[in-house]
Amino acid sequence: MPVPVAELAKLFPLDALRPETRDQLAREATVGEYVRNEVVFRVGDMDEDTIYLIEGEVRCDYPDGRTVAHAAGTGHGRYSLNDAVPRRFTATVVSQRARVVRLERRFVEKVITWDQLSRDPTYRFHESTPGASAWVFRLLHSHAFIKLPTGNLERMFQRFEEAYVKPGEVVMREGDAPDNFYVIREGTAAVSKILDGSPQVVAYLREGDIFGEDALLANVPRNATVRMMQGGRLMKLSKDAFEAVLKPPMVSWVLPAEAARLVQDGARLVDVRMPQEFIQRAIQGAINVPLYRLREDMPSLLAPGGRVVVYCNTGERSAAAAFVLNAQGYTVHAMHGGLGAMLRMQAAAAPAE
């Protein structure tokens, strides 16, 4: 059910956003409907939503016995239903019916930050034309950026460089050394790879899409060619800027013991090395999906949203794999130290003969 923009304009701090920003949030929001005695969330829940009550009343029951009423349309009702994680109380509907608006918490924070940064006419990315910030909203909503701390946004935008491109222009070529990370600000592009001896288009990109991160994360040559279909503008980060601003928060590293626990709890263990390396030596129970095939092959092995632990020999390819899979919607951890670290841990735990 679509959320009327007028509803968001009544809520804090969404009421202070520019109309274009609220329009974007309205497109991303969802509405939930409840009846009396239904629970919106329980104390201890670890959901990722910012929740506003836009109709009805709920009772907030705290573990210490306190009870607080939260009613839509009141001064207090303009605020979200407590964004603390884990949830500090249980919210139960006490009116005949109730409606809530749900927004992804991290996306809301990033969008509010962008709205504040870019509203100054002197800001280098300020544009008053309707739709001019569409590329930013799509970028911020990308799964690849879900772990980017909001504080890194300003650093990222300040270090972006703008490049104008022509139709048919090759931005990067398969086999080249990595140099920049790119975001499409205007235009479209085609991604191709050499498969079975000839170039084949494997993806199309549009405003807000990113490319070039794989090679920078893994420190390997480019694994695809990107050619512009329509002319436009690209935003790029140099290799040094990418490593300083984006690389550290993009990868969730775990030690071998934690990786083993995650796998025991149901995470899929993925070896992202080449098949020849996998055949020689691998961790028991792992499946082999080479880094260059992750985008194409992983969805058929595990639906997006699943949990994954990736590893390689050293961690370089694991970092790139984590970024790729995060962008596809997986919950990903990269194993620190790679295959060698896991084998050393297993050897140390083996009983002496």
Side-chain angles (χ1 to χ4, degrees):
M1 178 186 299
V3 178
V5 178
E7 292 282 5
L8 299 189
K10 301 174 185 176
L11 306 173
F12 179 86
L14 310 185
D15 55 347
L17 299 176
R18 288 176 292 173
E20 181 186 15
T21 307
R22 274 200 300 271
D23 288 347
Q24 179 63 36
L25 285 177
R27 285 194 286 271
E28 301 295 339
T30 59
V31 174
E33 297 189 350
Y34 296 84
V35 296
R36 190 190 301 274
N37 295 326
E38 275 196 286
V39 173
V40 179
F41 57 76
R42 297 185 183 279
V43 63
D45 282 356
M46 298 289 290
D47 61 275
E48 296 295 331
D49 293 334
T50 289
I51 301 175
Y52 290 95
L53 184 68
I54 59 173
E55 181 183 338
E57 183 177 344
V58 300
R59 185 184 67 243
C60 308
D61 296 315
Y62 289 82
D64 63 3
R66 287 185 300 128
T67 296
V68 176
H70 192 103
T74 64
H76 184 66
R78 295 177 58 238
Y79 294 81
S80 65
L81 276 167
N82 185 264
D83 259 356
V85 178
R87 296 288 184 183
R88 295 170 55 200
F89 55 79
T90 296
T92 305
V93 175
V94 294
S95 53
Q96 192 67 31
R97 63 191 298 268
R99 288 194 303 147
V100 303
V101 168
R102 291 179 179 268
L103 289 157
E104 187 178 49
R105 182 181 296 111
R106 289 175 174 173
F107 181 58
V108 171
E109 286 300 314
K110 289 176 173 59
V111 166
I112 291 175
T113 300
W114 164 256
D115 185 89
Q116 294 295 306
L117 290 174
S118 61
R119 65 173 55 219
D120 184 347
T122 64
Y123 187 65
R124 61 190 297 236
F125 293 109
H126 175 85
E127 289 194 42
S128 57
T129 307
S133 295
W135 69 279
V136 175
F137 295 131
R138 192 155 188 267
L139 174 68
L140 298 182
H141 202 251
S142 164
H143 285 288
F145 281 78
I146 198 69
K147 292 182 180 177
L148 180 68
T150 303
N152 282 40
L153 284 181
E154 172 68 352
R155 295 176 62 202
M156 178 179 72
F157 283 111
Q158 288 296 342
R159 298 190 71 167
F160 267 142
E161 299 174 31
E162 190 171 57
Y164 286 83
V165 286
K166 300 176 182 179
E169 182 174 338
V170 174
V171 180
M172 68 182 204
R173 196 177 299 276
E174 188 171 1
D176 285 352
D179 50 5
N180 299 309
F181 164 79
Y182 297 94
V183 182
I184 297 182
R185 183 169 183 172
E186 292 177 5
T188 57
V191 182
S192 62
K193 294 184 178 184
I194 302 297
L195 300 173
D196 298 324
S198 62
Q200 298 182 31
V201 174
V202 295
Y204 293 99
L205 306 174
R206 62 185 179 92
E207 286 91 344
D209 282 335
I210 62 176
F211 62 94
E213 74 282 358
D214 300 15
L216 291 173
L217 285 163
N219 196 28
V220 296
R222 297 293 193 191
N223 63 6
T225 296
V226 176
R227 184 187 302 273
M228 298 303 298
M229 299 172 63
Q230 296 175 321
R233 290 186 288 174
L234 301 179
M235 307 307 297
K236 63 180 183 179
L237 285 178
S238 68
K239 182 177 181 180
D240 289 344
F242 178 83
E243 291 187 346
V245 178
L246 294 185
K247 186 174 181 177
M250 288 301 180
V251 182
S252 174
W253 294 99
V254 293
L255 294 171
E258 176 64 8
R261 187 192 66 76
L262 288 168
V263 172
Q264 280 186 333
D265 289 344
R268 184 67 63 90
L269 183 62
V270 180
D271 186 318
V272 298
R273 300 173 301 155
M274 298 298 286
Q276 297 88 337
E277 297 174 283
F278 181 77
I279 291 171
Q280 287 181 349
R281 198 170 199 184
I283 298 173
Q284 185 176 3
I287 59 172
N288 180 221
V289 187
L291 175 60
Y292 75 96
R293 293 292 309 176
L294 272 178
R295 286 186 176 88
E296 294 81 7
D297 295 351
M298 197 62 195
S300 65
L301 299 171
L302 180 66
R307 293 181 299 156
V308 180
V309 174
V310 295
Y311 77 90
C312 59
N313 285 330
T314 63
E316 295 279 4
R317 281 175 282 180
S318 298
F323 195 100
V324 169
L325 293 176
N326 272 322
Q328 291 186 312
Y330 295 94
T331 299
V332 192
H333 300 279
M335 192 167 66
H336 187 52
L339 174 63
M342 176 62 83
L343 294 177
R344 287 192 295 273
M345 186 194 78
Q346 291 176 339
E353 295 183 0

